[in-house]
Amino acid sequence: FYRLPDDHVTAIPNLRDFDELDRQARETLVPRATSAPRIVSIGRLEPQKGFLVLIAALKELHRTTALRPEVCIVGNGSERTELE
């Protein structure tokens, strides 16, 4: 599109394990015991992705409202231990 020379461009492949995602998608889901909203966030567990911001927002939601969403964070990265 930009007509750049090949030696000026580097392609970085998406490093997702699609076979593992397919396997997980075929798993039987356990029926939910709640009608609470469900939030699913998927991405690299790195600072720039903002998962700590999501958790802080949920804490504020719990503090100020009766909403108790179910949250599932999927991913791996340097913040995994801190997020857990």
Coordinates of all heavy atoms in Angstrom, one line a residue:
F1 N 0.8 -1.2 0.0 CA 0.0 0.0 0.0 C 0.9 1.3 0.0 O 0.6 2.2 -0.7 CB -0.9 0.0 1.2 CG -1.8 1.2 1.3 CD1 -2.9 1.3 0.5 CD2 -1.6 2.2 2.2 CE1 -3.8 2.4 0.5 CE2 -2.4 3.3 2.2 CZ -3.5 3.4 1.4
Y2 N 1.9 1.3 0.8 CA 2.8 2.4 0.9 C 4.0 2.4 -0.1 O 4.8 3.3 -0.1 CB 3.3 2.6 2.3 CG 2.2 3.0 3.3 CD1 1.7 2.0 4.2 CD2 1.7 4.3 3.3 CE1 0.7 2.4 5.1 CE2 0.6 4.6 4.2 CZ 0.2 3.7 5.0 OH -0.8 4.0 5.9
R3 N 4.1 1.3 -0.8 CA 5.2 1.1 -1.8 C 6.5 1.2 -1.2 O 7.4 1.9 -1.7 CB 5.0 2.1 -2.9 CG 3.7 1.9 -3.8 CD 3.7 2.8 -5.0 NE 2.5 2.6 -5.8 CZ 1.4 3.3 -5.7 NH1 1.2 4.3 -4.8 NH2 0.3 2.9 -6.4
L4 N 6.7 0.6 0.0 CA 8.0 0.6 0.6 C 8.9 -0.5 0.1 O 8.3 -1.6 -0.3 CB 7.8 0.4 2.1 CG 7.1 1.5 2.9 CD1 6.8 1.1 4.3 CD2 7.9 2.8 2.8
P5 N 10.2 -0.4 0.0 CA 11.0 -1.5 -0.4 C 10.9 -2.6 0.6 O 10.7 -2.4 1.8 CB 12.4 -0.9 -0.4 CG 12.2 0.6 -0.3 CD 10.9 0.9 0.3
D6 N 11.0 -3.8 0.1 CA 10.9 -5.0 0.9 C 11.8 -5.0 2.1 O 11.5 -5.5 3.2 CB 11.1 -6.3 0.1 CG 10.0 -6.6 -0.8 OD1 8.9 -6.0 -0.7 OD2 10.2 -7.5 -1.7
D7 N 13.0 -4.5 1.9 CA 14.0 -4.5 3.0 C 13.7 -3.4 4.1 O 14.4 -3.3 5.1 CB 15.4 -4.3 2.5 CG 15.7 -3.0 1.8 OD1 14.7 -2.3 1.4 OD2 16.9 -2.6 1.7
H8 N 12.6 -2.7 3.9 CA 12.2 -1.7 4.9 C 11.0 -2.2 5.7 O 10.4 -1.4 6.5 CB 11.9 -0.4 4.3 CG 13.0 0.4 3.8 ND1 13.9 0.1 2.8 CD2 13.6 1.6 4.3 CE1 14.8 0.9 2.7 NE2 14.7 1.9 3.6
V9 N 10.5 -3.4 5.4 CA 9.3 -3.9 6.0 C 9.6 -5.2 6.7 O 10.3 -6.1 6.2 CB 8.2 -4.1 5.0 CG1 7.0 -4.7 5.6 CG2 7.9 -2.8 4.2
T10 N 9.1 -5.4 8.0 CA 9.2 -6.6 8.7 C 7.8 -7.1 9.1 O 7.1 -6.3 9.7 CB 10.1 -6.4 10.0 OG1 11.4 -6.0 9.6 CG2 10.2 -7.7 10.7
A11 N 7.4 -8.3 8.7 CA 6.2 -8.8 9.1 C 6.3 -9.6 10.4 O 7.3 -10.4 10.6 CB 5.6 -9.8 8.1
I12 N 5.5 -9.3 11.4 CA 5.5 -10.0 12.7 C 4.2 -10.8 12.8 O 3.1 -10.3 12.8 CB 5.6 -9.0 13.9 CG1 6.8 -8.1 13.7 CG2 5.5 -9.7 15.2 CD1 6.9 -7.0 14.7
P13 N 4.3 -12.1 12.8 CA 3.1 -13.0 12.8 C 2.4 -12.9 14.1 O 3.0 -12.6 15.2 CB 3.7 -14.4 12.6 CG 5.1 -14.3 13.1 CD 5.6 -12.9 12.8
N14 N 1.1 -13.2 14.0 CA 0.3 -13.3 15.2 C 0.7 -14.5 16.0 O 0.6 -15.6 15.4 CB -1.2 -13.3 14.8 CG -2.1 -13.2 16.0 OD1 -1.7 -13.3 17.1 ND2 -3.4 -12.8 15.7
L15 N 1.0 -14.4 17.2 CA 1.6 -15.6 17.9 C 0.5 -16.4 18.7 O 0.8 -16.9 19.8 CB 2.7 -15.2 18.8 CG 3.9 -14.5 18.1 CD1 5.0 -14.1 19.1 CD2 4.5 -15.5 17.1
R16 N -0.7 -16.4 18.3 CA -1.8 -17.1 19.0 C -1.6 -18.6 18.7 O -1.3 -19.0 17.6 CB -3.1 -16.6 18.5 CG -3.4 -15.1 18.7 CD -3.6 -14.9 20.2 NE -3.7 -13.4 20.4 CZ -2.8 -12.7 20.9 NH1 -1.6 -13.1 21.2 NH2 -3.0 -11.4 21.0
D17 N -2.0 -19.4 19.7 CA -2.0 -20.8 19.5 C -3.5 -21.2 19.1 O -4.3 -21.4 20.0 CB -1.6 -21.5 20.8 CG -1.5 -23.0 20.7 OD1 -2.1 -23.6 19.7 OD2 -1.0 -23.7 21.6
F18 N -3.8 -21.1 17.8 CA -5.1 -21.3 17.4 C -5.6 -22.8 17.7 O -6.8 -23.0 17.9 CB -5.3 -21.0 15.9 CG -5.1 -19.5 15.7 CD1 -4.0 -19.0 15.1 CD2 -6.1 -18.6 16.1 CE1 -3.8 -17.6 14.9 CE2 -6.0 -17.3 15.9 CZ -4.9 -16.8 15.3
D19 N -4.8 -23.7 17.7 CA -5.2 -25.1 18.0 C -5.7 -25.2 19.4 O -6.7 -25.8 19.7 CB -4.0 -26.1 17.8 CG -3.7 -26.3 16.3 OD1 -4.5 -26.1 15.5 OD2 -2.5 -26.7 16.1
E20 N -5.0 -24.5 20.4 CA -5.4 -24.5 21.8 C -6.7 -23.7 21.9 O -7.6 -24.1 22.6 CB -4.3 -23.9 22.6 CG -4.7 -23.7 24.1 CD -5.0 -25.0 24.8 OE1 -4.7 -26.1 24.3 OE2 -5.6 -24.9 25.9
L21 N -6.9 -22.6 21.2 CA -8.1 -21.8 21.3 C -9.3 -22.7 20.7 O -10.4 -22.7 21.3 CB -8.0 -20.5 20.5 CG -7.1 -19.5 21.1 CD1 -7.0 -18.3 20.1 CD2 -7.6 -19.0 22.4
D22 N -9.1 -23.4 19.7 CA -10.1 -24.3 19.1 C -10.5 -25.4 20.1 O -11.6 -25.7 20.3 CB -9.7 -25.0 17.8 CG -9.6 -24.0 16.7 OD1 -10.3 -22.9 16.7 OD2 -9.0 -24.3 15.6
R23 N -9.4 -26.0 20.8 CA -9.7 -27.0 21.8 C -10.6 -26.4 22.9 O -11.5 -27.1 23.4 CB -8.4 -27.6 22.4 CG -8.6 -28.8 23.3 CD -7.3 -29.1 24.1 NE -7.0 -28.0 25.0 CZ -7.6 -27.7 26.2 NH1 -8.7 -28.4 26.5 NH2 -7.2 -26.7 27.0
Q24 N -10.2 -25.3 23.4 CA -10.9 -24.7 24.5 C -12.4 -24.3 24.1 O -13.3 -24.4 24.9 CB -10.2 -23.4 25.0 CG -8.9 -23.7 25.8 CD -8.2 -22.5 26.2 OE1 -8.8 -21.4 26.2 NE2 -7.0 -22.7 26.7
A25 N -12.5 -23.9 22.9 CA -13.9 -23.5 22.4 C -14.8 -24.8 22.3 O -16.0 -24.6 22.4 CB -13.8 -22.9 21.0
R26 N -14.2 -25.9 22.2 CA -15.1 -27.2 22.1 C -15.4 -27.7 23.5 O -16.2 -28.6 23.6 CB -14.3 -28.2 21.3 CG -14.3 -27.9 19.8 CD -13.8 -29.1 19.0 NE -12.4 -29.4 19.3 CZ -11.4 -28.8 18.7 NH1 -11.5 -27.9 17.8 NH2 -10.1 -29.2 19.0
E27 N -14.8 -27.2 24.5 CA -15.0 -27.7 25.9 C -16.5 -27.4 26.3 O -17.1 -26.4 25.9 CB -14.1 -27.0 26.9 CG -12.7 -27.5 26.8 CD -11.8 -26.9 27.9 OE1 -12.3 -26.1 28.7 OE2 -10.6 -27.1 27.8
T28 N -17.1 -28.3 27.1 CA -18.4 -28.1 27.6 C -18.4 -27.0 28.6 O -17.6 -27.0 29.6 CB -19.0 -29.4 28.2 OG1 -18.9 -30.4 27.2 CG2 -20.4 -29.2 28.7
L29 N -19.3 -26.0 28.5 CA -19.4 -25.0 29.4 C -20.2 -25.4 30.7 O -21.2 -26.1 30.5 CB -20.1 -23.7 28.8 CG -19.3 -23.0 27.7 CD1 -20.1 -21.9 27.1 CD2 -18.0 -22.5 28.2
V30 N -19.8 -25.0 31.8 CA -20.5 -25.2 33.0 C -21.6 -24.2 33.1 O -21.4 -23.0 32.9 CB -19.6 -25.1 34.3 CG1 -20.4 -25.3 35.5 CG2 -18.4 -26.1 34.1
P31 N -22.9 -24.6 33.4 CA -24.0 -23.7 33.4 C -23.7 -22.6 34.5 O -23.1 -23.0 35.6 CB -25.2 -24.5 33.8 CG -24.8 -25.9 33.4 CD -23.3 -26.0 33.6
R32 N -24.0 -21.4 34.2 CA -23.8 -20.3 35.2 C -24.9 -20.3 36.2 O -26.0 -20.5 35.9 CB -23.8 -19.0 34.4 CG -22.6 -18.9 33.5 CD -22.6 -17.6 32.7 NE -22.5 -16.5 33.5 CZ -22.9 -15.3 33.2 NH1 -23.4 -15.0 32.0 NH2 -22.7 -14.2 34.0
A33 N -24.5 -20.1 37.5 CA -25.4 -20.0 38.6 C -25.9 -18.6 38.8 O -26.7 -18.3 39.7 CB -24.8 -20.5 39.9
T34 N -25.5 -17.7 37.9 CA -25.8 -16.3 38.1 C -26.2 -15.6 36.8 O -25.9 -16.1 35.7 CB -24.7 -15.5 38.7 OG1 -25.0 -14.1 38.8 CG2 -23.4 -15.6 37.9
S35 N -27.0 -14.6 36.9 CA -27.4 -13.9 35.6 C -26.5 -12.6 35.5 O -26.8 -11.7 34.7 CB -28.8 -13.5 35.6 OG -29.1 -12.7 36.7
A36 N -25.5 -12.5 36.4 CA -24.6 -11.3 36.4 C -24.0 -11.1 35.0 O -23.7 -12.1 34.3 CB -23.5 -11.4 37.4
P37 N -23.7 -9.9 34.6 CA -23.0 -9.7 33.3 C -21.6 -10.5 33.3 O -21.0 -10.6 34.3 CB -22.8 -8.2 33.2 CG -23.6 -7.6 34.3 CD -23.9 -8.7 35.3
R38 N -21.2 -10.9 32.1 CA -19.9 -11.6 32.0 C -19.0 -10.7 31.1 O -19.4 -10.3 30.0 CB -20.1 -12.9 31.4 CG -18.8 -13.7 31.1 CD -19.0 -15.0 30.5 NE -19.4 -16.0 31.6 CZ -19.8 -17.2 31.3 NH1 -19.8 -17.6 30.1 NH2 -20.1 -18.0 32.3
I39 N -17.8 -10.5 31.6 CA -16.8 -9.7 30.9 C -15.7 -10.7 30.6 O -15.1 -11.3 31.5 CB -16.3 -8.5 31.7 CG1 -17.4 -7.5 32.0 CG2 -15.2 -7.8 31.0 CD1 -17.0 -6.5 33.0
V40 N -15.4 -10.8 29.3 CA -14.2 -11.6 28.9 C -13.2 -10.7 28.2 O -13.6 -10.0 27.2 CB -14.7 -12.7 27.9 CG1 -13.5 -13.6 27.5 CG2 -15.7 -13.6 28.6
S41 N -12.0 -10.7 28.7 CA -11.0 -9.9 28.1 C -9.8 -10.7 27.7 O -9.3 -11.5 28.5 CB -10.5 -8.8 29.1 OG -9.7 -7.9 28.5
I42 N -9.4 -10.7 26.4 CA -8.3 -11.5 25.9 C -7.2 -10.7 25.4 O -7.4 -9.7 24.7 CB -8.9 -12.4 24.8 CG1 -10.1 -13.2 25.3 CG2 -7.8 -13.3 24.2 CD1 -10.8 -14.0 24.2
G43 N -6.0 -11.0 25.8 CA -4.8 -10.3 25.3 C -3.5 -10.6 26.0 O -3.6 -11.4 26.9
R44 N -2.5 -10.0 25.6 CA -1.2 -10.2 26.2 C -1.3 -9.5 27.6 O -1.8 -8.4 27.7 CB -0.1 -9.5 25.5 CG 0.3 -10.2 24.2 CD 1.5 -9.5 23.5 NE 1.1 -8.2 23.1 CZ 1.7 -7.1 23.5 NH1 2.7 -7.1 24.3 NH2 1.3 -5.9 23.1
L45 N -0.8 -10.2 28.6 CA -0.9 -9.6 30.0 C 0.3 -8.7 30.2 O 1.3 -9.1 30.9 CB -1.0 -10.8 31.0 CG -2.1 -11.7 30.8 CD1 -2.1 -12.8 31.9 CD2 -3.4 -11.0 30.7
E46 N 0.3 -7.6 29.5 CA 1.4 -6.6 29.6 C 0.8 -5.3 30.0 O -0.3 -5.0 29.8 CB 2.1 -6.5 28.2 CG 2.7 -7.8 27.7 CD 3.9 -8.3 28.5 OE1 4.5 -7.5 29.2 OE2 4.1 -9.5 28.5
P47 N 1.7 -4.4 30.6 CA 1.2 -3.1 31.1 C 0.4 -2.3 30.1 O -0.7 -1.7 30.4 CB 2.4 -2.4 31.5 CG 3.4 -3.5 31.8 CD 3.1 -4.6 30.8
Q48 N 0.8 -2.3 28.8 CA 0.2 -1.4 27.8 C -1.2 -1.9 27.5 O -2.0 -1.2 26.9 CB 1.0 -1.2 26.6 CG 1.3 -2.5 25.8 CD 2.6 -3.2 26.2 OE1 2.9 -3.3 27.3 NE2 3.3 -3.7 25.2
K49 N -1.6 -3.1 27.8 CA -2.9 -3.6 27.5 C -4.0 -3.2 28.6 O -5.2 -3.3 28.3 CB -2.9 -5.2 27.4 CG -2.0 -5.7 26.3 CD -2.6 -5.2 25.0 CE -1.9 -5.8 23.8 NZ -2.5 -5.5 22.5
G50 N -3.6 -2.8 29.7 CA -4.5 -2.2 30.7 C -5.3 -3.1 31.5 O -6.4 -2.7 32.0
F51 N -4.9 -4.3 31.7 CA -5.7 -5.2 32.6 C -5.8 -4.8 34.0 O -6.8 -5.0 34.7 CB -5.1 -6.7 32.5 CG -5.4 -7.3 31.2 CD1 -4.4 -7.4 30.2 CD2 -6.6 -7.8 30.9 CE1 -4.6 -8.0 29.0 CE2 -6.9 -8.4 29.6 CZ -5.9 -8.5 28.7
L52 N -4.7 -4.1 34.5 CA -4.8 -3.6 35.9 C -5.8 -2.4 35.9 O -6.5 -2.3 37.0 CB -3.4 -3.0 36.3 CG -2.4 -4.2 36.6 CD1 -1.0 -3.5 36.9 CD2 -2.8 -5.0 37.8
V53 N -6.0 -1.7 34.9 CA -7.1 -0.7 34.8 C -8.4 -1.3 34.8 O -9.3 -0.9 35.6 CB -6.9 0.2 33.5 CG1 -8.1 1.2 33.4 CG2 -5.6 0.9 33.5
L54 N -8.6 -2.4 34.1 CA -9.9 -3.2 34.2 C -10.2 -3.6 35.6 O -11.3 -3.5 36.1 CB -9.8 -4.4 33.2 CG -10.9 -5.4 33.4 CD1 -12.3 -4.8 33.0 CD2 -10.6 -6.6 32.5
I55 N -9.2 -4.2 36.3 CA -9.4 -4.6 37.7 C -9.7 -3.5 38.6 O -10.6 -3.6 39.5 CB -8.2 -5.5 38.1 CG1 -8.2 -6.8 37.3 CG2 -8.3 -5.7 39.6 CD1 -6.9 -7.6 37.5
A56 N -9.0 -2.4 38.4 CA -9.3 -1.2 39.2 C -10.8 -0.7 39.0 O -11.5 -0.3 39.9 CB -8.3 -0.1 39.0
A57 N -11.2 -0.7 37.7 CA -12.5 -0.3 37.4 C -13.6 -1.2 38.0 O -14.6 -0.8 38.5 CB -12.7 -0.2 35.9
L58 N -13.3 -2.5 38.0 CA -14.2 -3.5 38.7 C -14.3 -3.2 40.2 O -15.4 -3.3 40.8 CB -13.8 -4.9 38.4 CG -14.0 -5.3 36.9 CD1 -13.2 -6.6 36.6 CD2 -15.4 -5.5 36.6
K59 N -13.2 -2.9 40.8 CA -13.1 -2.6 42.2 C -14.0 -1.4 42.5 O -14.8 -1.4 43.5 CB -11.7 -2.4 42.7 CG -11.6 -2.1 44.1 CD -10.1 -1.9 44.5 CE -10.0 -1.5 46.0 NZ -8.6 -1.3 46.4
E60 N -13.9 -0.4 41.7 CA -14.7 0.8 41.8 C -16.2 0.5 41.6 O -17.1 1.0 42.3 CB -14.3 1.9 40.8 CG -15.0 3.2 41.0 CD -14.7 4.0 42.3 OE1 -13.8 3.6 43.0 OE2 -15.5 4.9 42.6
L61 N -16.5 -0.3 40.6 CA -17.9 -0.8 40.4 C -18.5 -1.5 41.6 O -19.6 -1.2 42.0 CB -17.9 -1.7 39.2 CG -19.2 -2.0 38.5 CD1 -19.8 -0.7 37.9 CD2 -19.0 -3.1 37.4
H62 N -17.7 -2.3 42.2 CA -18.1 -3.1 43.4 C -18.3 -2.1 44.6 O -19.3 -2.2 45.4 CB -17.1 -4.1 43.8 CG -17.2 -5.4 43.0 ND1 -17.0 -6.6 43.6 CD2 -17.4 -5.6 41.7 CE1 -17.1 -7.5 42.7 NE2 -17.3 -6.9 41.5
R63 N -17.5 -1.1 44.6 CA -17.6 -0.1 45.7 C -18.8 0.8 45.6 O -19.4 1.2 46.6 CB -16.3 0.8 45.8 CG -16.2 1.6 47.0 CD -14.9 2.5 47.0 NE -15.0 3.6 45.9 CZ -15.7 4.7 46.1 NH1 -16.4 4.9 47.1 NH2 -15.6 5.6 45.1
T64 N -19.2 1.1 44.3 CA -20.2 2.2 44.1 C -21.5 1.7 43.6 O -22.5 2.4 43.6 CB -19.7 3.2 43.1 OG1 -19.4 2.6 41.9 CG2 -18.4 3.9 43.7
T65 N -21.6 0.4 43.2 CA -22.9 -0.1 42.7 C -23.1 -1.5 43.2 O -22.3 -2.1 43.9 CB -22.9 -0.2 41.2 OG1 -22.0 -1.2 40.7 CG2 -22.4 1.1 40.5
A66 N -24.3 -2.1 42.9 CA -24.6 -3.5 43.2 C -24.2 -4.4 42.1 O -24.4 -5.6 42.3 CB -26.1 -3.6 43.5
L67 N -23.7 -3.9 41.0 CA -23.3 -4.8 39.9 C -22.1 -5.7 40.3 O -21.1 -5.2 40.9 CB -22.9 -4.0 38.7 CG -24.0 -3.3 37.9 CD1 -23.5 -2.4 36.8 CD2 -25.0 -4.4 37.4
R68 N -22.1 -6.9 40.0 CA -21.1 -7.9 40.3 C -20.8 -8.7 39.1 O -21.2 -9.9 39.0 CB -21.4 -8.8 41.5 CG -21.7 -8.1 42.8 CD -20.4 -7.4 43.3 NE -20.5 -6.7 44.5 CZ -20.8 -5.4 44.7 NH1 -20.9 -4.6 43.6 NH2 -20.9 -4.9 45.9
P69 N -20.2 -8.1 38.0 CA -20.0 -8.9 36.8 C -19.0 -10.1 37.0 O -18.1 -10.0 37.9 CB -19.4 -7.9 35.8 CG -18.9 -6.8 36.6 CD -19.7 -6.8 37.9
E70 N -19.1 -11.1 36.3 CA -18.2 -12.2 36.3 C -17.1 -11.9 35.3 O -17.4 -11.5 34.1 CB -18.9 -13.5 35.8 CG -18.1 -14.7 35.8 CD -18.9 -15.9 35.3 OE1 -20.1 -16.1 35.8 OE2 -18.5 -16.6 34.4
V71 N -15.9 -12.0 35.6 CA -14.8 -11.5 34.8 C -13.9 -12.7 34.5 O -13.5 -13.5 35.3 CB -14.0 -10.4 35.4 CG1 -12.8 -10.0 34.5 CG2 -14.9 -9.2 35.7
C72 N -13.5 -12.8 33.2 CA -12.6 -13.9 32.8 C -11.5 -13.2 31.9 O -11.8 -12.5 30.9 CB -13.3 -14.9 31.9 SG -12.2 -16.2 31.3
I73 N -10.2 -13.2 32.4 CA -9.1 -12.7 31.7 C -8.3 -13.8 31.1 O -7.9 -14.7 31.8 CB -8.2 -11.8 32.6 CG1 -9.1 -10.6 33.1 CG2 -7.0 -11.3 31.8 CD1 -8.3 -9.7 34.1
V74 N -8.1 -13.8 29.8 CA -7.4 -14.9 29.1 C -6.1 -14.3 28.5 O -6.2 -13.3 27.8 CB -8.3 -15.4 28.0 CG1 -7.6 -16.6 27.2 CG2 -9.6 -15.9 28.5
G75 N -5.0 -14.9 28.8 CA -3.8 -14.5 28.2 C -2.6 -14.9 29.0 O -2.7 -15.6 30.0
N76 N -1.4 -14.4 28.6 CA -0.2 -14.7 29.3 C 0.7 -13.5 29.1 O 0.6 -12.8 28.1 CB 0.4 -16.0 28.7 CG 1.3 -16.7 29.8 OD1 1.6 -16.1 30.8 ND2 1.7 -17.9 29.5
G77 N 1.6 -13.3 30.0 CA 2.6 -12.2 29.9 C 3.2 -11.9 31.2 O 3.0 -12.6 32.2
S78 N 3.9 -10.8 31.2 CA 4.7 -10.4 32.4 C 3.9 -10.0 33.6 O 4.4 -10.1 34.7 CB 5.7 -9.3 32.0 OG 5.0 -8.1 31.7
E79 N 2.6 -9.6 33.4 CA 1.8 -9.2 34.5 C 0.9 -10.4 35.1 O 0.1 -10.1 36.0 CB 0.9 -8.1 34.1 CG 1.6 -6.8 34.0 CD 0.7 -5.6 33.9 OE1 -0.4 -5.7 33.3 OE2 1.0 -4.5 34.4
R80 N 1.1 -11.6 34.5 CA 0.2 -12.7 34.9 C 0.1 -12.9 36.5 O -0.9 -12.9 37.1 CB 0.6 -14.0 34.3 CG -0.3 -15.1 34.6 CD 0.0 -16.4 33.9 NE -1.0 -17.4 34.3 CZ -1.8 -17.9 33.4 NH1 -1.7 -17.6 32.1 NH2 -2.6 -18.8 33.8
T81 N 1.3 -13.0 37.1 CA 1.3 -13.2 38.5 C 0.6 -12.1 39.3 O -0.2 -12.3 40.2 CB 2.8 -13.4 39.0 OG1 3.4 -14.5 38.3 CG2 2.8 -13.6 40.5
E82 N 0.9 -10.8 38.9 CA 0.3 -9.7 39.6 C -1.2 -9.7 39.4 O -2.0 -9.4 40.3 CB 0.9 -8.4 39.1 CG 0.4 -7.2 39.8 CD 1.0 -5.9 39.3 OE1 1.9 -5.9 38.4 OE2 0.7 -4.8 39.9
L83 N -1.7 -10.0 38.2 CA -3.1 -10.0 37.9 C -3.8 -11.2 38.7 O -4.9 -11.0 39.2 CB -3.4 -10.2 36.4 CG -3.0 -9.0 35.6 CD1 -2.9 -9.3 34.1 CD2 -3.9 -7.8 35.9
E84 N -3.1 -12.3 38.8 CA -3.7 -13.4 39.6 C -3.9 -13.0 41.0 O -4.9 -13.3 41.7 CB -2.9 -14.7 39.4 CG -3.0 -15.3 38.1 CD -2.1 -16.5 37.9 OE1 -1.1 -16.7 38.6 OE2 -2.3 -17.3 37.0

